[in-house]
Amino acid sequence: MEKQAAAAGAADGAGPNRKLWGSPTCGPAAGDTLDSPTGSHVEWCKQLIAATISSQIGVSSVPSDIARDNKARRRPDFMVSKRLTPRQDSHDEGLCYHGDSDSEHPTNALNLPALRYGEQATMFQNQVPLLPGETVQTTVKDVMYICPFSGLVNGTLTITDYKLYFTSVERESPFVLDVNLGVISRLETISVPNQGGNTKGLELVCKDMRSPRFAYKAEEGHPDVVELLAKLAFPLSHSLRLFAFLYKEQFPVDGWKVYDPTAEYRRLGLPNESWAISKLNSSYELCDTYPSILVIPTHITEDDVRRVAMFRAKHRIPVLSWIHPETQATIVRCSQPLVGPTDRRCKEDERFLQIIMDANAQSHKLTIFDARQSSVAVTNKAKDGGYESESFYPNVELNFLEIPNIHVMRESLRKMKDVVYPTIDEAHWHSAIDQTHWLEYIRLLLAGAAKMVDKLESGKTSVVVHCSDGWDRTAQLTSLAMLMLDSHYRTLRGFQVLVEKEWVSFGHKFAARVGHGDENHANSERSPLFVQFIDCVWQMTRQFPAAFEFNELFLITVLDHLYSCLFGTFLYSSEQERAAKEVQTDTVSLWSYVNSQPEDFTNPFYVDYEHHVLCPLVSSRHLELWTGYYARWNPRMRPQVPVHQTLKELLFLRAELQRRVEDLQREATSRSSSSFSEHSPSHTAGMPLHSAV
Amino acid sequence: MEHIRLPKVENVRLLDRVSPRRSRVGTLYLTATHTIFVENEAGVRNETWVLHSLVSSVEKQAAAASGCSLLVRCKNFQVLHFVVPRERECQDVHLSLQRLSQPERCEELYCFSYKPNVDEAERRQEWDFLDPKADYSRMGLPNSLWKLSPVNQHYKVSDTYPADLFVPQSATPPVIVGSSKFRSRGRFPTLSYYSKENHAAICRSSQPLSGFSARCLEDEQMLEAILRSNPRSDFMYVVDTRPKLNAIANRAAGKGYENEDNYSNIKFQFIGIENIHVMRNSQQKMLEVCELRSPSMSDFLEGLESSGWLKHIKAVLDAGIFIAKAVAEEGVSVLVHCSDGWDRTAQVCSVASVLLDPHYRTLRGLMVLIEKDWVSFGHKFSHRCNHLVGDPKEVSPVIDQFLECVWQLMEQFPCAFEFNARFLITIHSHIYSCQYGNFIGNNQRERVELGLRERTHSLWSYLWKNQTDYINPLYRPDHSQTQGLLRPSTAPYCFKSWRGLYNRFDRGMHPRQSVEDYLSAIQEETQQLEEQLASHKQKIAQLELEQEGSVTQEAVSFDKSPTAWALGRDLGLANTPQDYTGGFVPSSPCQLKAPDGSLGLLTQDSNLSNGSDQESGIADVSCRSPLSEDSAGDPDSDEAAYSAA
């Protein structure tokens, strides 16, 4: 079943396919496709139903036609289809090995969810699709793309302020490679033997597990490609603006409105008698990395809060993240206490936790989860940090979750890249994966979150979570636990709220962890913590395929735009900084894009399990490598068989049939009642079912 | 009965494998055919039945204060850990079970005592359900190129081959007999699969007795004849599925492989699938990994890799792909052999057939394929599956590997197979269960002598009757990816550990929600809606008639209508989406029924079913009891997550 999730991209179907459904007779005429922008998804589904309704269910033959026709229709499609998601690249890269024996690639650029909005993207000279606000910086001819799978491809390289776009018409099918500049981690010059004296080689080491290489002729008088790319890919290091501030797309939905803290707290039933919505941090004075709106216990004075803030690293005081609708048990997050080598105490902090404990009448205990390894927590005491001593905090139970730090995670993902790109060592696949320890860390996170859920749900006990600063592992754990506990966060909108709240507003340092527009690739602050979180979510969707409203494509899209710098959602490190840079007014939210076409990101299996708690299995047998993300550039990733497609069709078919049954029932009812009244009223007694249906 | 030393032991504990703290106390019964554990708990009668023929080993551990442990491992990968209070009793159970699980005579096998409620005529029909000969005619045989040869009618030429064999038209009996004398066990080259489209064929044989220099004119003529039966091709492949070193070693024993110089226009190829002993050890190691209670990520991944199991599966699949491509893409015939031509050869030929021909990806097709390539061509089921007490070195999971290859293909092509994983698992169980006569004996001759057709039942018709349980809801025979030759990827990440088979009996080990069951439910519902639609249409047509027609017509129509309406209402109940949220999984039509009441584990809560605890993964907030058995919120069911807690 691993495949079906990855099928989402293919299955969700994009413009060209939809077109085909509607007019199966239309040939591969370029003009035809060029002139007619693709229909909406709903439209397409209707056509699908029309096509299948007469035939038997589940055996519609149309998809195979698509697959066959795709090859012929590739070119025109590729000219219209607007490229936004870097996911497309995978399919583009698909073209580069298209000539191989393994030639059945029904998915390529066309099957992607094309944007319906701004369909008429401007085309630059040689068909480079441009986003609104995007400008071409330079075009270099006779560039070789050194494909790790099928050798050299000769073509034209266009560099814009958003992306690098390589096209080749050398082979029978056009080849396109589209890399957005935000994804580039570093640029390396490489040596290219046997290509003439002034040939230079360039490798783009990317954050998303690939490293495309190019060779080009350096010419006098032309600006150097590397210099230009460095300037555009790392704008902040060159005192330029990030592309998100230049992007001018208009979406019908405003993603910045997705998260309203007050509304979200209201949904949780807050404020209540124990918890208050506090404006103490409205000007970010109390804590500059926290959001302006915080939920803290009612029965605590402002002075006490300020003293607690002095006792917590970076002033990140314990604040409420989530409250159980029935038991009032809470998830509280904070940073480590500044205990130091002398075992300092803070009466206010001790009382603060006591009040949190008392706010939950169901339990007289409080569990603190320290995400760190216990040994690290101990060493932190020497650095003025530390952990809560159980002897100073009565009725508190302290648990270490033994999760390694950001540097370990960075190293783990780096090793993972070596395993999956460009080639895979067949004989040692499992041990190579094991040596990255990536899955082990995923397991620790899921297990940690599951322990929190168990305490809250079965033990009815409030939990406090912290690591060192409370913005990395803490965010991972609270958001995973909330995802397991609260079905709202498993919807498309709810998930966005969760990310906005636990990650963005609570100051996960996206700018430092991702390094947006920053050339300093060796910065030790970088770490793929958000990727880890999304991976954990994916592991959960694998175990509960019907519990999440969003699909795999959504998760991949989120990760792609974590790096792309196209949207403002993940820029900068705190709410304060984002407000200062006017991110909300000057950039577009990723959720604007997603929510303008939610069908593409919706899981057809979704059933709303309201009030259900998910308890994922976290044994090593149940975790698997998310090859649909990490290994997606590998040409052996095959296009997926449309499992999702089949289900979607069935669901639509069912809806349609239900509608028709209802219609007919209504018709039958009206007719029979009229016939009864005309002919034999005595019979109505024998038909009591009318009202029931 | 004489082997049962102790028919009943009280106060036995059955330990849960995932969480040993949770054990069940009950009574253990030994019967002539089954071990039965009955839980003594008020209200519930929970029974676990284990067929003796499925027991692969019984291990008695040293006595401890709590009692004496008895570890029963089954061929369907169930492991039962009993604790018997007194050592004496434990010893008796141990000895009885050991004897019962290893019958000495064929007559003791379960299939001879298994008597379901069917009359004799029906039983005989069961055996006529599948006919490999019909499969040959489906391939278009006999034709001008291939003929049915009577040469092995009384198993005179090769006693391990079936009676009906297809050979090239030009192969005369003297050539066949001559060739058979030059092949191990007389297993001369004969047809396994024929492609109607391009006349390319897959043939199978055993190794030639070539030694270092021996030649045989008839054998060379035989290969020539096979080559000529494919008019469009000027050469053929000879595939030796063994590693080259093994084949060379065989030369010293007067066996070996074909010399390209002696045979005209052959291309010789080694494939390198390891022998039955390597496979047996590899599976053993893999099972040890599967049995780990809460393995760390490293234990699991390293263990899986060092067992080599998936590597061997890949080798078999690679060989199948090579042959399938030769036949479908090059149009070249292939002769496949290993040493005796009944293990690796069977695997490779059948995998190639599955890849090549969509027919073998249907329920009926897979049954025919197993019947033809495995049963009739003399895969030594009795030896390989250890049906009777025998040489443990002859035991090997060769057929397991074939079934797993099919499963790995199903994972890659979820829409290409008419059957689901349950079908494969059921076949696997019955290969070992000895409940049906199909897999008893080592070859056709033995089976005829045992009179299996006369005395036992056939699995195939049982499976066919219950086919609704085995249908893959995603099957789409008309999709381009599922037609013709399958081209699987053999990248290492495409091979997965088959939890559904090897960890089948571990509760809490399976995904909680099954997409397939969901789909089946929806598909069924859609079908019901269509029926409903039809009935409504009919109803309306009748009403229309009524309105125009006479009083007599009206009376007739009303006789029918109540049924139509009743039907409509019953179905209507399950149609709202709300009904889905509540119970789509439990109402799934594909809940695995325990096959026929006597096989494997039969507890009342039917742990057997993959689907039975899908729902339980989602603990309902309203029932928050941490000790509730069925709530997967129960920390115990989550092996590793909570083991530290």
Side-chain angles (χ1 to χ4, degrees):
Chain A
M1 277 293 112
E2 186 182 333
K3 309 290 166 188
Q4 104 261 332
D12 285 341
N17 286 358
R18 297 172 192 166
K19 190 93 211 322
L20 242 185
W21 283 104
S23 48
T25 46
C26 84
D32 196 346
T33 328
L34 271 170
D35 296 338
S36 45
T38 55
S40 76
H41 192 74
V42 179
E43 204 47 51
W44 165 73
C45 292
K46 282 185 189 151
Q47 285 161 2
L48 169 85
I49 292 161
T52 30
I53 203 128
S54 51
S55 65
Q56 269 301 309
I57 46 150
V59 288
S60 94
S61 62
V62 195
S64 55
D65 296 332
I66 289 175
R68 269 184 240 112
D69 284 15
N70 261 348
K71 223 172 274 179
R73 299 165 55 84
R74 185 170 289 146
R75 191 195 166 100
D77 292 330
F78 123 91
M79 283 157 63
V80 243
S81 77
K82 171 166 173 179
R83 322 180 147 267
L84 187 80
T85 44
R87 181 182 168 81
Q88 286 167 300
D89 301 354
S90 68
H91 304 288
D92 294 336
E93 204 135 289
L95 303 181
C96 87
Y97 57 94
H98 167 238
D100 298 355
S101 60
D102 210 5
S103 61
E104 215 179 312
H105 295 292
T107 42
N108 46 41
L110 349 165
N111 275 338
L112 297 157
L115 264 185
R116 279 205 306 283
Y117 302 97
E119 196 72 55
Q120 55 291 347
T122 14
M123 288 292 179
F124 183 72
Q125 305 161 12
N126 42 359
Q127 293 115 28
V128 179
L130 293 180
L131 300 169
E134 185 181 3
T135 47
V136 170
Q137 305 291 311
T138 188
T139 301
V140 192
K141 292 217 184 325
D142 288 327
V143 176
M144 300 280 224
Y145 168 58
I146 307 170
C147 176
F149 315 111
S150 67
L152 299 175
V153 188
N154 199 346
T156 306
L157 183 69
T158 308
I159 298 170
T160 76
D161 43 5
Y162 171 64
K163 66 173 172 278
L164 179 148
Y165 195 81
F166 176 83
T167 51
S168 168
V169 287
E170 200 174 51
R171 302 191 182 179
E172 58 175 75
S173 53
F175 172 80
V176 174
L177 179 69
D178 180 341
V179 184
N180 70 62
L181 300 178
V183 86
I184 296 172
S185 171
R186 67 173 196 268
L187 298 163
E188 290 220 334
T189 48
I190 50 169
S191 62
V192 188
N194 315 324
Q195 292 291 333
N198 54 353
T199 304
K200 289 189 172 178
L202 169 66
E203 178 172 1
L204 312 174
V205 181
C206 293
K207 296 167 185 170
D208 64 349
M209 318 294 280
R210 59 178 162 161
S211 303
R213 293 163 166 226
F214 296 95
Y216 61 98
K217 297 247 189 295
E219 277 173 51
E220 290 293 320
H222 275 276
D224 185 52
V225 175
V226 180
E227 234 168 75
L228 181 70
L229 265 181
K231 203 176 84 184
L232 294 167
F234 312 118
L236 295 188
S237 303
H238 295 83
S239 313
L240 293 169
R241 306 200 80 189
L242 289 165
F243 183 74
F245 292 93
L246 306 171
Y247 182 47
K248 293 286 170 267
E249 182 76 78
Q250 299 283 326
F251 288 100
V253 180
D254 182 4
W256 294 119
K257 297 216 169 82
V258 162
Y259 177 55
D260 171 5
T262 344
E264 169 61 12
Y265 288 124
R266 201 182 310 125
R267 189 186 70 84
L268 292 172
L270 298 171
N272 61 14
E273 55 188 15
S274 312
W275 295 91
I277 292 181
S278 161
K279 298 260 196 285
L280 267 180
N281 200 37
S282 54
S283 53
Y284 309 105
E285 270 176 347
L286 182 70
C287 170
D288 58 354
T289 57
Y290 262 181
S292 56
I293 293 176
L294 296 172
V295 175
I296 57 173
T298 321
H299 308 294
I300 193 148
T301 64
E302 201 178 316
D303 285 347
D304 283 355
V305 173
R306 294 196 190 281
R307 274 189 211 106
V308 171
M310 298 312 291
F311 188 63
R312 291 276 169 181
K314 307 281 193 307
H315 304 171
R316 293 171 70 95
I317 58 165
V319 294
L320 179 140
S321 270
W322 189 76
I323 183 162
H324 195 289
E326 285 161 32
T327 64
Q328 306 288 301
T330 49
I331 298 179
V332 173
R333 59 182 290 172
C334 57
S335 60
Q336 64 180 341
L338 299 176
V339 170
T342 55
D343 283 328
R344 265 193 303 271
R345 291 180 65 170
C346 172
K347 289 280 172 217
E348 290 78 11
D349 193 67
E350 287 160 27
R351 198 161 72 243
F352 202 112
L353 293 195
Q354 184 66 44
I355 291 170
I356 291 171
M357 192 187 311
D358 294 343
N360 169 17
Q362 306 268 350
S363 171
H364 301 294
K365 278 192 177 161
L366 184 71
T367 309
I368 299 178
F369 286 100
D370 189 328
R372 297 169 294 181
Q373 289 158 305
S374 49
S375 56
V376 174
V378 172
T379 8
N380 257 302
K381 278 174 93 170
K383 293 184 242 163
D384 226 30
Y387 52 90
E388 292 84 356
S389 156
E390 287 182 13
S391 48
F392 299 153
Y393 294 83
N395 300 319
V396 161
E397 177 190 315
L398 181 68
N399 281 307
F400 289 102
L401 295 175
E402 308 289 333
I403 302 170
N405 64 20
I406 59 164
H407 311 295
V408 176
M409 302 308 171
R410 179 179 58 240
E411 195 51 19
S412 175
L413 191 66
R414 192 194 58 72
K415 284 186 194 154
M416 179 69 78
K417 181 172 178 177
D418 293 343
V419 173
V420 297
Y421 189 93
T423 50
I424 288 171
D425 178 0
E426 306 247 331
H428 303 291
W429 168 251
H430 288 103
S431 53
I433 290 301
D434 177 42
Q435 272 149 28
T436 67
H437 297 296
W438 183 257
L439 288 175
E440 182 59 34
Y441 301 142
I442 296 288
R443 196 174 77 83
L444 281 174
L445 280 172
L446 281 170
K451 279 181 195 166
M452 287 168 57
V453 169
D454 186 48
K455 277 282 175 232
L456 251 122
E457 195 59 44
S458 310
K460 302 179 184 178
T461 308
S462 295
V463 299
V464 173
V465 193
H466 68 74
C467 44
S468 294
D469 292 319
W471 52 42
D472 291 321
R473 283 164 282 193
T474 304
Q476 291 178 319
L477 289 164
T478 54
S479 50
L480 283 173
M482 287 157 76
L483 206 55
M484 292 175 195
L485 286 163
D486 191 337
S487 60
H488 175 67
Y489 299 123
R490 302 196 284 265
T491 63
L492 192 61
R493 287 292 186 115
F495 188 78
Q496 297 166 9
V497 169
L498 183 71
V499 170
E500 285 284 351
K501 178 167 178 293
E502 287 303 302
W503 290 82
V504 178
S505 84
F506 272 102
H508 172 69
K509 302 201 293 174
F510 279 106
R513 299 290 175 253
V514 175
H516 292 129
D518 175 26
E519 67 183 353
N520 185 7
H521 60 85
N523 191 326
S524 67
E525 282 282 291
R526 295 206 182 167
S527 191
L529 292 165
F530 190 72
V531 179
Q532 254 184 337
F533 163 67
I534 297 291
D535 192 330
C536 290
V537 176
W538 179 81
Q539 305 279 358
M540 282 168 68
T541 63
R542 303 270 305 145
Q543 290 189 32
F544 300 99
F548 293 85
E549 195 193 11
F550 46 86
N551 59 17
E552 187 182 28
L553 177 66
F554 172 70
L555 296 178
I556 291 179
T557 305
V558 169
L559 284 185
D560 282 340
H561 291 296
L562 171 68
Y563 301 128
S564 75
C565 297
L566 183 60
F567 299 106
T569 303
F570 297 117
L571 299 184
Y572 304 109
S573 290
S574 67
E575 198 176 281
Q576 186 188 26
E577 225 181 316
R578 268 182 288 272
K581 303 279 181 187
E582 296 185 334
V583 167
Q584 294 219 5
T585 46
D586 291 0
T587 72
V588 179
S589 164
L590 169 59
W591 317 129
S592 304
Y593 162 60
V594 169
N595 295 339
S596 296
Q597 48 221 315
E599 321 84 58
D600 290 330
F601 302 107
T602 307
N603 170 17
F605 293 99
Y606 176 62
V607 176
D608 183 12
Y609 286 102
E610 219 187 327
H611 306 309
H612 278 79
V613 177
L614 303 187
C615 301
L617 293 173
V618 295
S619 91
S620 40
R621 271 184 277 261
H622 289 93
L623 302 183
E624 51 186 302
L625 188 71
W626 186 11
T627 46
Y629 178 70
Y630 301 110
R632 63 182 158 151
W633 312 120
N634 193 295
R636 290 170 78 173
M637 279 298 289
R638 68 173 40 254
Q640 307 299 336
V641 182
V643 174
H644 269 73
Q645 186 70 34
T646 312
L647 184 70
K648 256 191 182 167
E649 286 165 22
L650 267 169
L651 287 172
F652 279 112
L653 183 60
R654 185 183 64 168
E656 177 70 7
L657 283 167
Q658 257 165 356
R659 195 185 56 72
R660 285 177 56 179
V661 166
E662 275 160 28
D663 283 357
L664 284 171
Q665 266 172 354
R666 224 172 292 132
E667 197 181 329
T669 317
S670 60
R671 282 193 198 216
S672 59
S673 56
S674 63
S675 76
F676 291 144
S677 55
E678 278 168 36
H679 300 290
S680 51
S682 60
H683 275 284
T684 31
M687 316 268 289
L689 302 171
H690 286 211
S691 51
V693 261
Chain B
M1 283 313 245
E2 69 273 22
H3 309 301
I4 302 171
R5 291 157 165 258
L6 193 66
K8 180 179 170 189
V9 190
E10 306 265 11
N11 286 322
V12 174
R13 275 187 301 137
L14 175 60
L15 301 189
D16 191 299
R17 248 186 72 194
V18 178
S19 53
R21 274 176 294 151
R22 205 165 56 188
S23 62
R24 292 180 282 170
V25 180
T27 311
L28 190 71
Y29 297 92
L30 290 184
T31 72
T33 54
H34 290 83
T35 307
I36 306 163
F37 176 80
V38 183
E39 198 179 329
N40 315 334
E41 195 156 321
V44 283
R45 189 172 164 80
N46 216 337
E47 297 178 6
T48 307
W49 289 55
V50 179
L51 196 57
H52 294 324
S53 40
L54 274 173
V55 172
S56 67
S57 77
V58 192
E59 193 184 313
K60 183 172 149 286
Q61 293 171 341
S66 57
C68 192
S69 281
L70 194 69
L71 209 60
V72 180
R73 281 172 211 279
C74 300
K75 293 170 182 173
N76 59 1
F77 312 115
Q78 184 174 19
V79 181
L80 293 160
H81 191 163
F82 293 110
V83 179
V84 185
R86 274 179 293 278
E87 189 173 7
R88 260 305 297 266
E89 292 170 336
C90 188
Q91 177 71 7
D92 284 347
V93 173
H94 180 217
L95 290 177
S96 314
L97 259 182
Q98 242 174 0
R99 176 60 187 78
L100 288 166
S101 64
Q102 298 208 308
E104 281 156 10
R105 289 169 304 121
C106 259
E107 283 64 35
E108 293 177 35
L109 289 171
Y110 183 47
C111 58
F112 295 108
S113 54
Y114 172 61
K115 296 276 177 275
N117 195 13
V118 248
D119 66 37
E120 182 56 23
E122 224 176 300
R123 198 198 58 74
R124 249 178 284 130
Q125 271 175 13
E126 283 178 12
W127 284 101
D128 296 329
F129 168 69
L130 268 197
D131 181 12
K133 250 194 269 185
D135 192 53
Y136 288 110
S137 30
R138 189 190 61 87
M139 294 182 211
L141 299 177
N143 63 7
S144 59
L145 300 166
W146 294 89
K147 64 178 179 195
L148 182 64
S149 163
V151 74
N152 202 35
Q153 252 343 302
H154 301 287
Y155 310 106
K156 280 195 185 117
V157 177
S158 170
D159 57 354
T160 59
Y161 260 180
D164 298 327
L165 288 167
F166 279 84
V167 295
Q169 277 292 352
S170 56
T172 56
V175 168
I176 296 173
V177 173
S179 166
S180 81
K181 296 214 167 100
F182 190 63
R183 296 270 168 182
S184 280
R185 311 294 303 252
R187 293 170 70 94
F188 57 89
T190 175
L191 184 86
S192 166
Y193 177 79
Y194 169 77
S195 163
K196 244 188 300 196
E197 286 80 34
N198 59 13
H199 307 299
I202 302 175
C203 296
R204 55 187 288 172
S205 70
S206 60
Q207 63 186 338
L209 304 174
S210 49
F212 289 101
S213 57
R215 291 184 64 167
C216 169
L217 190 62
E218 288 92 345
D219 195 56
E220 286 159 31
Q221 285 171 341
M222 186 74 191
L223 263 66
E224 180 77 32
I226 292 173
L227 174 58
R228 265 186 276 121
S229 300
N230 183 0
R232 277 187 248 163
S233 170
D234 49 8
F235 75 97
M236 69 182 280
Y237 287 109
V238 175
V239 170
D240 189 329
T241 56
R242 297 169 293 184
K244 189 171 183 183
L245 271 179
N246 301 22
I248 289 172
N250 260 303
R251 273 164 61 169
K255 301 167 187 171
Y257 52 93
E258 291 82 356
N259 183 338
E260 276 190 13
D261 301 336
N262 298 344
Y263 294 84
S264 49
N265 303 315
I266 67 163
K267 280 193 185 166
F268 188 82
Q269 182 91 28
F270 285 111
I271 294 268
I273 302 174
E274 298 291 347
N275 64 26
I276 58 167
H277 312 295
V278 175
M279 299 308 188
R280 179 178 58 241
N281 294 336
S282 170
Q283 192 191 39
Q284 198 48 49
K285 281 192 198 154
M286 188 266 296
L287 289 176
E288 280 164 22
V289 175
C290 289
E291 272 184 41
L292 292 175
R293 258 201 326 112
S294 47
S296 75
M297 210 70 216
S298 289
D299 290 343
F300 180 69
L301 290 173
E302 298 277 354
L304 196 60
E305 181 172 297
S306 67
S307 76
W309 181 255
L310 293 178
K311 192 181 76 191
H312 298 313
I313 297 291
K314 176 174 147 59
V316 174
L317 199 57
D318 274 334
I321 293 170
F322 174 84
I323 293 163
K325 281 196 171 161
V327 169
E329 286 174 358
E330 298 179 61
V332 174
S333 294
V334 186
L335 171 67
V336 188
H337 69 74
C338 47
S339 296
D340 292 314
W342 51 44
D343 291 318
R344 284 167 276 201
T345 304
Q347 285 179 330
V348 168
C349 290
S350 48
V351 168
S353 302
V354 169
L355 291 171
L356 277 167
D357 195 333
H359 176 68
Y360 296 121
R361 306 196 281 261
T362 62
L363 274 172
R364 198 189 183 96
L366 190 79
M367 299 193 239
V368 169
L369 185 66
I370 294 176
E371 186 65 29
K372 176 168 72 83
D373 272 347
W374 292 82
V375 178
S376 83
F377 271 107
H379 174 70
K380 303 202 292 173
F381 281 102
S382 273
H383 287 164
R384 297 288 178 260
C385 305
N386 210 13
H387 289 332
L388 298 169
V389 58
D391 182 2
K393 287 221 152 33
E394 282 283 317
V395 180
S396 189
V398 180
I399 183 104
D400 296 19
Q401 287 183 316
F402 165 65
L403 293 175
E404 182 163 340
C405 282
V406 176
W407 179 81
Q408 300 279 5
L409 289 172
M410 284 164 66
E411 287 288 290
Q412 283 197 43
F413 302 94
C415 303
F417 291 83
E418 192 192 11
F419 45 84
N420 56 19
R422 237 165 249 158
F423 185 60
L424 298 180
I425 292 171
T426 310
I427 292 178
H428 178 272
S429 296
H430 284 294
I431 284 172
Y432 291 92
S433 73
C434 300
Q435 183 172 338
Y436 294 94
N438 304 65
F439 309 106
I440 309 298
N442 288 321
N443 50 56
Q444 205 175 64
R445 188 178 52 84
E446 271 184 42
R447 269 184 287 276
V448 171
E449 283 167 9
L450 282 168
L452 288 163
R453 278 183 88 99
E454 289 73 43
R455 300 164 61 195
T456 68
H457 292 265
S458 167
L459 172 66
W460 304 132
S461 67
Y462 163 77
L463 293 175
W464 189 251
K465 272 186 220 138
N466 294 285
Q467 54 174 299
T468 45
D469 289 349
Y470 306 122
I471 293 289
N472 168 18
L474 294 168
Y475 181 49
R476 285 175 68 158
D478 50 2
H479 191 265
S480 70
Q481 276 196 343
T482 65
Q483 285 167 340
L485 180 65
L486 290 187
R487 293 182 178 82
S489 162
T490 53
Y493 51 76
C494 296
F495 292 89
K496 290 181 219 148
S497 162
W498 191 2
R499 278 199 310 262
L501 179 65
Y502 302 114
N503 290 103
R504 188 180 150 199
F505 292 94
D506 296 340
R507 265 167 65 89
M509 282 288 268
H510 300 286
R512 276 72 181 286
Q513 294 179 332
S514 154
V515 169
E516 279 170 47
D517 288 336
Y518 184 33
L519 210 50
S520 303
I522 293 200
Q523 211 160 40
E524 194 189 38
E525 211 184 317
T526 312
Q527 218 146 20
Q528 288 175 345
L529 279 169
E530 279 188 344
E531 281 164 23
Q532 222 177 331
L533 203 60
S535 89
H536 278 305
K537 274 186 187 153
Q538 197 191 347
K539 168 81 183 159
I540 283 175
Q542 281 173 352
L543 284 168
E544 272 168 355
L545 272 178
E546 261 167 49
Q547 280 178 331
E548 301 156 10
S550 67
V551 184
T552 42
Q553 271 176 319
E554 190 191 330
V556 172
S557 72
F558 273 112
D559 278 344
K560 286 179 188 165
S561 53
T563 38
W565 278 113
L567 180 70
R569 193 192 56 161
D570 286 346
L571 299 169
L573 284 177
N575 275 331
T576 57
Q578 284 82 356
D579 288 322
Y580 257 94
T581 33
F584 73 83
V585 180
S587 73
S588 138
C590 286
Q591 291 275 18
L592 177 55
K593 283 187 218 118
D596 224 29
S598 45
L599 173 76
L601 176 94
L602 262 190
T603 55
Q604 268 191 336
D605 55 1
S606 84
N607 298 348
L608 189 56
S609 156
N610 265 341
S612 68
D613 49 12
Q614 293 142 356
E615 190 78 332
S616 64
I618 298 179
D620 200 305
V621 177
S622 56
C623 63
R624 217 169 293 112
S625 153
L627 293 172
S628 145
E629 265 265 312
D630 285 321
S631 153
D634 180 355
D636 284 335
S637 65
D638 250 346
E639 347 157 40
Y642 298 99
S643 58

